[in-house]
Amino acid sequence: MAAPGQAPAAALRAVLKPSGPLPAESLPVRGYDFSGGLDYAALLRSFRTTGFQATSFAQAVAEIRRMIAAKLEPLSEEERARAGLAGLRPPSGCTIFLGFTSNLVSSGVRESIRYLVQHNMVDVLVTTAGGVEEDLIKCLAPTYLGDFSLRGQDLRQSGINRIGNLLVPNDNYCKFEDWLMPILDQMVDEQETQRVRWTPSRMIARLGKEIDNPESVCYWAQKNKIPVLSPALTDGSLGDMIFFHSYKRPGLVLDIVEDLRLINTQAIFARKTGMIILGGGLVKHHIANANLMRNGADFSVYVNTAQEFDGSDSGARPDEAVSWGKIRMDATPVKVYADASLVFPLLVAETFAQRADAFPAGD
């Protein structure tokens, strides 16, 4: 029992417990002070000491800057020869894989992705069918802003499709069918007469060439020999059109095994690799599994809102990938829990855009 006028000793010990040493990398928390004026660069730099996902954002900036620095490092003759075994693109110090889900191409993030591809800043793209078709369809007709609360029944009766708070008139897909069907005819002709072996990536390159529009991601990818891998290419409007076309002109074959060799080879023969993955699902795992073939990526940034408690790969933190050998044990990967439409343009602004002069732009 405490003496009169004194607090209980046990409570004092519990509340006023002395602190031990902090981790060596600990910094004082401090946010941006607007009283000094508005400086957007300084505001983003202040994220490092802001805490929570702002600090994760700053860590992602640092990780991508390490990717870029590795990419621009000169190669020895032996390293150049080995990296050259991957084919397709000139060897560099770090092969950067960029994965993104289709909703991001439906959104204005498409322009950030297109910038990276146009300026040869990334080496391999992985996306879903929607990530391909939405890019192409936007060259034929626009996507519009709407609202998350618009009723599905009303939109369906009006022939308007909703992607979050974006709206796509169904007429856009009709225009896409009109554009695509003659190309599918040509592909079947070339398969039968020239023995062309079509793969998803080869088909996407062909579509990028045919669209011939510098606003398109696929256009710049084929122009700069950046492969676009989409192992589930039939899971979307493209698949619908291929299905309808198969009744008119059956026989088109897409070889996914050749594309599997392609993506794995990009990882195996790279000097170093970096992964930037926006969203989850197929695009996340396809890139990570390719990097398993080299015992893990050297640099990794995930941006998504998924949680790990349900055991999904989409929600898995980078450390789970370390256990599988998909990220190297000595790497410093980062996951930013955030909407990529907010975060990714800022990441590009703080990293690739600041090194634009170091990359050869496409013509």
Side-chain angles (χ1 to χ4, degrees):
M1 180 174 293
Q6 292 184 348
L12 287 170
R13 287 194 300 272
V15 173
L16 303 178
K17 181 176 177 62
S19 298
L22 290 165
E25 66 275 11
S26 297
L27 296 171
V29 173
R30 183 173 177 82
Y32 184 73
D33 184 358
F34 286 95
S35 63
L38 181 57
D39 181 336
Y40 286 107
L43 171 62
L44 291 175
R45 286 196 300 271
S46 77
F47 281 14
R48 186 184 180 207
T49 56
T50 297
F52 307 134
Q53 293 312 300
T55 295
S56 295
F57 171 85
Q59 292 168 342
V61 168
E63 182 78 346
I64 293 174
R65 286 176 176 172
R66 287 189 286 269
M67 274 187 219
I68 295 170
K71 185 172 187 60
L72 298 176
E73 288 176 359
L75 297 173
S76 68
E77 286 302 316
E78 181 179 348
E79 289 171 332
R80 182 170 294 277
R82 176 176 172 77
L85 294 173
L88 295 180
R89 290 174 52 74
S92 71
C94 181
T95 297
I96 298 179
F97 295 77
L98 174 62
F100 49 91
T101 48
S102 67
N103 57 317
L104 299 178
V105 177
S106 302
S107 78
V109 175
R110 175 196 186 218
E111 278 61 48
S112 296
I113 296 169
R114 190 267 309 151
Y115 170 80
L116 298 180
V117 176
Q118 178 180 353
H119 291 268
N120 280 293
M121 293 171 170
V122 295
D123 301 286
V124 180
L125 302 182
V126 178
T127 190
T128 58
V132 175
E133 67 206 23
E134 293 295 315
D135 174 64
L136 300 168
I137 290 169
K138 277 186 169 182
C139 297
L140 305 174
T143 295
Y144 297 90
L145 286 171
D147 192 277
F148 284 100
S149 64
L150 293 172
R151 293 181 69 240
Q153 180 179 345
D154 296 339
L155 293 173
R156 180 59 181 167
Q157 290 175 343
S158 299
I160 298 172
N161 306 289
R162 182 170 68 83
I163 305 169
N165 63 346
L166 309 180
L167 299 175
V168 187
N170 211 56
D171 287 347
N172 291 18
Y173 295 97
C174 298
K175 292 176 182 178
F176 183 54
E177 180 182 25
D178 292 341
W179 177 80
L180 181 63
M181 288 300 179
I183 299 173
L184 294 177
D185 284 338
Q186 294 169 14
M187 289 174 59
V188 175
D189 286 341
E190 292 168 25
Q191 178 182 290
E192 293 176 349
T193 62
Q194 302 174 34
R195 303 177 66 86
V196 173
R197 178 186 291 176
W198 293 106
T199 65
S201 66
R202 199 168 284 140
M203 179 177 182
I204 295 164
R206 175 63 169 270
L207 297 179
K209 182 178 181 180
E210 294 284 350
I211 202 67
D212 194 24
N213 188 321
E215 293 186 359
S216 163
V217 174
C218 295
Y219 168 82
W220 285 109
Q222 61 83 28
K223 199 169 183 64
N224 290 335
K225 294 182 170 56
I226 297 172
V228 183
L229 284 304
S230 187
L233 187 61
T234 56
D235 185 29
S237 180
L238 264 170
D240 298 342
M241 303 311 161
I242 292 171
F243 170 71
F244 295 144
H245 182 267
S246 71
Y247 284 89
K248 171 189 172 186
R249 189 82 186 276
L252 180 64
V253 176
L254 296 177
D255 184 350
I256 63 171
V257 176
E258 186 174 334
D259 267 2
L260 178 63
R261 287 175 59 96
L262 173 61
I263 190 172
N264 288 353
T265 300
Q266 301 307 301
I268 290 168
F269 294 113
R271 181 191 186 192
K272 293 182 178 179
T273 61
M275 307 191 298
I276 303 172
I277 304 176
L278 313 177
L282 179 146
V283 300
K284 182 170 181 273
H285 188 263
H286 201 50
I287 291 174
N289 201 72
N291 277 273
L292 168 62
M293 301 296 153
R294 55 176 288 105
N295 201 30
D298 299 273
F299 311 99
S300 302
V301 170
Y302 297 170
V303 180
N304 65 59
T305 57
Q307 304 292 322
E308 68 175 345
F309 62 81
D310 60 358
S312 66
D313 183 71
S314 293
R317 292 181 297 113
D319 192 59
E320 185 174 304
V322 174
S323 78
W324 288 89
K326 296 168 184 176
I327 295 176
R328 290 185 181 259
M329 290 187 290
D330 59 352
T332 55
V334 180
K335 176 172 178 175
V336 185
Y337 290 83
D339 175 1
S341 70
L342 278 171
V343 168
F344 190 59
L346 296 176
L347 281 175
V348 172
E350 285 294 284
T351 56
F352 291 100
Q354 295 186 6
R355 300 299 306 274
D357 293 345
F359 295 92
D363 295 330

